[in-house]
Amino acid sequence: MSKSAFAYTISRSRRNMIEKQISYLDSYITRMRQIYTENIVGPAEAAGLRISMEPNRGAHGEIPFPATFTRMINERFKETNGFNVEIISESPINPKQNLKTPLDKEGNVFLKSNPDKLFTKTFVEDEKVYIGLYTADKATSQGCVSCHSSLKNKTYKIGDILGIRKYLLIYSNEVTIGNFELNTDLESFNRSKRIFEQTLQAVRLGGKFPLDISETKYKTVSEIGRAHV
């Protein structure tokens, strides 16, 4: 029971901590993009500078789109921290930023109906356990609205979903350990606790107790006091 309880506690604690940290980071990115759009992109456009998806490949003076700017920061961060952030969409302005995996598509469907929630799921890849977290990427300023409306020939307003944000990190470098921790749920903990309590009662007062976790095999014992008479 202690093993199950420990694994369950650790799992919930880690998941909650990761989700809380991602929520903080998501709020930061929202505010960062809003400030960048209003104070960099807007004035740059007014000055006649070109806004680009690939500013490093273009002529001098090109300004990255807000989503491009976020991606450029992430690429530098990912090199040393193994943590990935992407802004993707089912209909992206940059064709390279489309939904690439079944999990991307699942997260996109979920967030369409639950734009204020966090979508989370774990999966195994390259012999590691990953956790993917997704949030809605919304228009936060008039600059976002005007740009997307112009480029997509569609009317947007502040608060509309423009795409989704994908946060990807390694949950465990060991598949066995990661899966054990993740798959130890509350039901497993409660079952182990119940078996432990039944065993203690049987040994103390006499009666039967389960021999296996599935509770299909039992053993009957005598009360401790009577056994020593």
Side-chain angles (χ1 to χ4, degrees):
M1 186 197 80
S2 60
K3 184 178 181 181
S4 177
F6 179 73
Y8 174 74
T9 302
I10 289 294
S11 176
R12 290 312 310 157
S13 177
R14 284 194 64 195
R15 289 286 289 268
N16 289 340
M17 180 184 68
I18 290 171
E19 291 178 1
K20 183 177 292 186
Q21 289 176 334
I22 292 300
S23 294
Y24 289 146
L25 177 59
D26 192 63
S27 296
Y28 172 80
I29 290 176
T30 296
R31 185 58 179 152
M32 180 271 290
R33 290 186 64 196
Q34 183 179 18
I35 293 172
Y36 177 78
T37 300
E38 293 173 351
N39 294 277
I40 302 296
V41 176
E45 286 183 314
L49 296 177
R50 185 171 181 268
I51 311 302
S52 173
M53 298 176 195
E54 297 182 327
N56 293 331
R57 295 186 181 183
H60 177 70
E62 291 188 350
I63 304 298
F65 278 102
T68 304
F69 180 65
T70 304
R71 175 172 53 81
M72 292 170 66
I73 294 174
N74 166 65
E75 287 173 352
R76 295 291 182 88
F77 186 80
K78 183 181 177 183
E79 290 176 3
T80 55
N81 295 275
F83 175 65
N84 190 36
V85 182
E86 286 187 282
I87 298 176
I88 55 181
S89 172
E90 62 182 1
S91 180
I93 293 175
N94 183 346
K96 295 180 180 179
Q97 297 306 113
N98 62 319
L99 306 179
K100 299 177 178 65
T101 69
L103 188 58
D104 292 347
K105 296 174 182 177
E106 187 178 349
N108 186 60
V109 170
F110 175 86
L111 291 168
K112 280 183 177 180
S113 302
N114 305 275
D116 296 320
K117 293 186 177 181
L118 178 70
F119 176 81
T120 308
K121 199 164 189 178
T122 57
F123 62 95
V124 175
E125 187 174 280
D126 300 326
E127 298 183 353
K128 297 176 182 178
V129 179
Y130 289 84
I131 181 168
L133 306 99
Y134 296 78
T135 63
D137 187 58
K138 303 175 184 177
T140 57
S141 68
Q142 190 55 46
C144 294
V145 170
S146 300
C147 181
H148 278 262
S149 296
S150 174
L151 292 172
K152 300 297 293 183
N153 194 28
K154 178 181 177 181
T155 302
Y156 289 95
K157 61 182 183 296
I158 292 177
D160 283 351
I161 298 178
L162 305 177
I164 59 175
R165 297 175 190 171
K166 174 182 180 180
Y167 302 89
L168 183 64
L169 66 154
I170 297 174
Y171 186 86
S172 175
N173 286 306
E174 297 290 337
V175 174
T176 302
I177 295 175
N179 281 339
F180 172 76
E181 183 178 313
L182 289 167
N183 293 326
T184 304
D185 55 15
L186 183 58
E187 176 58 30
S188 298
F189 168 64
N190 286 334
R191 186 186 301 116
S192 298
K193 181 174 180 289
R194 184 171 62 250
I195 291 173
F196 181 70
E197 291 173 344
Q198 289 176 354
T199 302
L200 284 181
Q201 181 172 332
V203 171
R204 186 165 59 90
L205 302 175
K208 65 179 183 178
F209 64 91
L211 293 175
D212 58 353
I213 194 68
S214 60
E215 299 179 79
T216 58
K217 299 178 181 178
Y218 287 82
K219 180 178 181 179
T220 301
V221 295
S222 301
E223 178 186 348
I224 290 178
R226 294 177 181 175
H228 290 82
V229 174

